[in-house]
Amino acid sequence: MKIAQWMKQSGVAFGTSGARGLVTAMTDSVCFAYTVGYLEHLGTLGEFGPGTQVAVAGDLRPSTPHILRACVAAITYMGGVPVFCGFVPTPALCLHAFTLGIPSLMVTGSHIPADRNGIKFNRARGEFLKTDEAAMREQDVTLPDGWFDANGALARDIVLPVITDVVPGFVARYRDFFGPDALSGLKLGIYQHSAVGRDVMVEIVEALGGTAVPLGRKDDFIPVDTEAVRPEDAALAREWASDGTLDAILTTDGDSDRPLLADRHGNWLRGDVLGIIAARFLGAAAVTTPVSSNTALEQAGFARDIRRTRIGSPFVVAAMTEAAEAGLLPSVGYEANGGFLLASDVTRDTRTLRALPTRDSILPMICALVAARQQGVDLAGLVATLPRRFTLSDRLAEMPTARSQAQIAALRQDPDTGAASLGLLDACGGLAHVDETDGLRMTFDNGEIVHLRPSGNAPELRVYVEGDSPERTAELLKTGMEAVSAWRTAS
């Protein structure tokens, strides 16, 4: 049956970053079928055939090895050659695969809890776009006889190949561009938790001359969300920074493609602020970012071309690629979660950083640290050079997507009445503008913003807010979260 039918039957559907679902739903047969459908689609594009190498890697979730095994089984069945890159950051896998011009897939659920997982598919030289997802849905897949038992578990002995080490090339990418002394004299905490790139981050900091201090390593999977920071992660950063010996703290989400950077006081920087800093440092002519990102980008005034998209790296990739093809170079993109993408090469001081059109967590953090050093300030001082616009976000967990969509659809019908019923007109004044690019983004007469959007990866409702002071923005987020919390029980 078609992949679209597999998705409907299993509940494992495409989100903003690949197929995602409950681990219990991601049986060997489902993951096998999806991988076959993916390769069939690539075959229609001339990017896959018998003998083609396909790179695979995974994060540190307990369910990842069994999903990897099913994917490798599918690649083998289709006549491909699986290249197992181990448990490494998504951008490390992509760098290796894009350089060789081969397909790749990453088994990861990113930041979502460990009871869920996913598969992120890539083309030979870039991310899987929404047009690719639509075409993959139409692929017909029939499971081979004798490969699975009645419960969908692999009945064949499939062993993961010997690891191909892609880490040295990933480390060299940053050392060669920034130089071996770029972070010299800096003492940097590395919050390792269960991020797949926790040891690679240490290697990169040391390769650039910094001193790395590993912190908070865990055996259990920790769902660190770089966009909605958990209170316990905020408390940990302040605790680690309290003795004043660290210049910054670095971490990532589960598959290490989204960054989280804290200043010397233990305050986590927002990903969309980090994106502005990195884009400015790299001298970007064109910047693409989702509609949910901080509007300080426009006010900063350094980019000649700014493009706003729906949330999700495939949308950012498509728009920033168009900018690059139009000759607006360098062309970069970033997301509110901090993931930074390069659509074109960047040259600084005779050193060139090659394009990497997928989320990268390491690049924006190093850009910020180096930029602060060059300006003679710390990270807090660097952030202070940006226009005073502040964003926060949170999520209403266990909120069925269909219910979120229904409530937002009702708001669209009469935004003024809906905003009033949520208490937002009392809090912010009149409604000045509504943007329906992704969810519902309401801008009020006082310049404040409240943006409501169902998550594309999990049954959650995302709430984004923007204001002109940290205190007011926190108050606005509280108002927004309290307002939508009643939606959980709405009929």
Side-chain angles (χ1 to χ4, degrees):
M1 58 185 176
K2 291 184 177 181
I3 292 298
Q5 294 170 285
W6 281 95
M7 290 187 169
K8 184 176 181 180
Q9 187 178 87
S10 67
V12 181
F14 277 121
T16 53
S17 301
R20 296 278 175 88
L22 289 166
V23 169
T24 52
M26 297 189 71
T27 62
D28 291 342
S29 58
V30 167
C31 297
F32 181 98
Y34 285 16
T35 305
V36 169
Y38 157 65
L39 296 176
E40 286 180 346
H41 168 59
L42 291 188
T44 68
L45 302 174
E47 293 187 5
F48 177 80
T52 301
Q53 291 185 325
V54 182
V56 302
D59 67 14
L60 299 181
R61 293 163 188 271
S63 60
T64 290
H66 100 74
I67 297 174
L68 277 170
R69 186 167 164 263
C71 295
V72 166
I75 295 167
T76 304
Y77 169 71
M78 292 290 288
V81 180
V83 177
F84 181 42
C85 299
F87 301 93
V88 296
T90 295
L93 168 72
C94 290
L95 177 66
H96 177 74
F98 294 171
T99 300
L100 295 179
I102 62 174
S104 61
L105 64 84
M106 179 77 180
V107 176
T108 179
S110 186
H111 63 281
I112 59 180
D115 65 342
R116 298 173 182 273
N117 210 329
I119 307 173
K120 181 177 182 182
F121 302 105
N122 295 297
R123 295 273 301 272
R125 295 192 185 277
E127 285 199 2
F128 217 57
L129 301 181
K130 291 302 176 182
T131 51
D132 295 304
E133 290 181 6
M136 178 177 152
R137 289 175 187 270
E138 295 303 309
Q139 301 301 317
D140 270 308
V141 175
T142 300
L143 297 180
D145 291 338
W147 280 61
F148 301 91
D149 66 18
N151 296 317
L154 270 169
R156 294 200 169 201
D157 186 20
I158 302 295
V159 178
L160 295 177
V162 174
I163 292 176
T164 296
D165 190 1
V166 300
V167 170
F170 190 56
V171 174
R173 172 178 175 80
Y174 307 103
R175 183 193 62 233
D176 295 347
F177 181 67
F178 289 99
D181 298 318
L183 302 180
S184 63
L186 296 181
K187 186 176 181 181
L188 303 172
I190 308 297
Y191 176 23
Q192 295 194 309
H193 59 92
S194 53
V196 73
R198 56 191 180 183
D199 294 323
V200 178
M201 283 192 289
V202 171
E203 286 190 51
I204 291 172
V205 165
E206 293 178 345
L208 272 61
T211 298
V213 181
L215 302 165
R217 190 182 186 96
K218 298 292 184 182
D219 293 327
D220 297 332
F221 186 81
I222 308 296
V224 170
D225 188 339
T226 62
E227 201 169 0
V229 178
R230 303 180 312 153
E232 49 265 58
D233 291 327
L236 281 173
R238 289 192 295 269
E239 177 185 341
W240 290 327
S242 61
D243 64 3
T245 63
L246 297 176
D247 293 291
I249 301 169
L250 294 73
T251 194
T252 69
D253 65 340
D255 66 318
S256 295
D257 68 344
R258 308 178 187 195
L260 194 56
L261 178 67
D263 63 24
R264 60 192 299 270
H265 306 291
N267 300 313
W268 294 113
L269 276 63
R270 294 285 305 174
D272 48 3
V273 169
L274 190 59
I276 296 171
I277 288 170
R280 184 175 67 177
F281 175 81
L282 295 172
V287 181
T288 300
T289 193
V291 66
S292 60
S293 294
N294 195 312
T295 61
L297 171 63
E298 283 81 358
Q299 296 181 29
F302 64 87
R304 287 191 287 130
D305 183 87
I306 294 174
R307 303 180 183 213
R308 293 279 183 167
T309 71
R310 292 179 61 189
I311 294 170
S313 60
F315 300 110
V316 175
V317 169
M320 73 177 191
T321 300
E322 290 177 358
E325 291 172 348
L328 295 161
L329 305 174
S331 175
V332 309
Y334 66 85
E335 297 182 273
N337 56 44
F340 199 87
L341 309 92
L342 288 182
S344 61
D345 296 352
V346 176
T347 299
R348 280 179 58 90
D349 302 326
T350 73
R351 294 184 175 129
T352 298
L353 185 67
R354 297 299 178 190
L356 184 60
T358 193
R359 279 191 299 255
D360 183 351
S361 63
I362 303 299
L363 178 60
M365 292 194 287
I366 299 175
C367 285
L369 292 167
V370 174
R373 165 170 285 185
Q374 290 180 349
Q375 295 188 33
V377 297
D378 60 9
L379 285 176
L382 183 65
V383 171
T385 66
L386 298 178
R388 287 184 60 81
R389 294 294 291 174
F390 301 88
T391 54
L392 286 174
S393 61
D394 204 345
R395 55 187 174 178
L396 194 62
E398 301 306 322
M399 176 67 175
T401 300
R403 185 173 297 166
S404 293
Q405 291 172 337
Q407 293 291 341
I408 289 174
L411 267 179
R412 282 196 180 100
Q413 295 300 313
D414 189 349
D416 286 288
T417 300
S421 69
L422 293 174
L424 297 177
L425 297 188
D426 289 338
C428 308
L431 187 58
H433 178 68
V434 173
D435 188 321
E436 298 183 18
T437 301
D438 198 345
L440 194 72
R441 185 173 176 85
M442 296 170 282
T443 301
F444 297 88
D445 289 338
N446 63 0
E448 294 175 343
I449 297 171
V450 177
H451 181 182
L452 308 176
R453 169 186 173 269
S455 170
N457 294 321
E460 301 170 344
L461 176 67
R462 291 277 182 170
V463 179
Y464 310 86
V465 300
E466 182 173 324
D468 59 7
S469 75
E471 297 78 15
R472 174 56 184 163
T473 306
E475 181 182 340
L476 192 57
L477 181 61
K478 181 180 178 183
T479 298
M481 288 295 295
E482 289 177 349
V484 299
S485 63
W487 286 4
R488 275 205 185 104
T489 56
S491 58

